[in-house]
Amino acid sequence: DALASVGFGFIIKLVGRVPIFILGACINIGVIIVMLTWTPTASSVAVVYVLAALWGIGDAIWQTQINALYGVLFASDEEAAFSNYRLWESMGFLLAFITQALGVCVFPKLILTIIFLSLGMGGYFVVEFLERKKAQERRND
C-alpha cells in the first residue's frame, strides 16, 4: 500500500487521473471476481497473498488519488471537503461492521462492493466530465 502510494504519485503526473482511477477499479474488480470464483485450498496459499497485495495496490490508488482529487475540486473549501470524505469513509466502515455483526456471508458483501465500486466510478466519470467542461469554458472565455 505505502510503496504503491508513492509510485502512483509519480505515475499520475505522466498519465493523468482517469487512467489511474480506472486501474484501481480494474484491480479491485479483478480481485473480487477471483474471490467470487476461486475455491481456496491448502496448496494455494500464495494466491491469498497475491490477492492481498493487489487489494493493497488498489487501496493505495483510492487513498492517495481521492484525497488529491478533493484537493483539486474543493481548493477553496478543503476542510469541509475532507470532513465529508471522512464521514462517508466512516459510513463504509460502519456498513462493513454491521454486515459482519448480522452474520452476512462473504458473497453478498462482494456483490455489494461491486455495486458501490460501479456507482463510485460512474460518479467519478461524471465529475471528471463536468470538470473538463468547466475548464474548457474557462479557456474559451
Side-chain angles (χ1 to χ4, degrees):
D1 199 337
L3 292 175
S5 294
V6 172
F8 284 117
F10 293 112
I11 295 171
I12 199 166
K13 293 175 186 170
L14 300 172
V15 298
R17 265 194 317 256
V18 176
I20 297 296
F21 271 80
I22 292 172
L23 176 64
C26 288
I27 289 171
N28 284 147
I29 289 288
V31 170
I32 292 169
I33 288 171
V34 170
M35 289 195 293
L36 286 170
T37 59
W38 174 61
T39 303
T41 62
S43 63
S44 60
V45 174
V47 176
V48 174
Y49 292 107
V50 170
L51 292 175
L54 288 171
W55 196 265
I57 292 169
D59 185 59
I61 291 172
W62 304 128
Q63 291 299 321
T64 57
Q65 301 311 314
I66 288 177
N67 282 319
L69 178 65
Y70 272 38
V72 170
L73 294 176
F74 304 105
S76 62
D77 201 11
E78 285 185 359
E79 187 175 322
F82 287 111
S83 296
N84 192 22
Y85 169 67
R86 294 294 176 212
L87 168 75
W88 288 106
E89 183 181 47
S90 297
M91 293 300 285
F93 291 137
L94 179 65
L95 179 64
F97 288 127
I98 288 172
T99 56
Q100 183 65 29
L102 293 174
V104 177
C105 296
V106 172
F107 183 80
K109 290 179 190 178
L110 292 173
I111 299 302
L112 191 62
T113 302
I114 290 172
I115 291 168
F116 279 122
L117 179 59
S118 301
L119 290 172
M121 285 303 292
Y124 169 70
F125 288 133
V126 169
V127 167
E128 279 291 342
F129 173 76
L130 294 174
E131 278 300 304
R132 287 180 189 215
K133 186 177 174 184
K134 191 186 306 182
Q136 192 174 37
E137 287 173 359
R138 275 184 259 151
R139 273 187 257 127
N140 290 339
D141 288 341

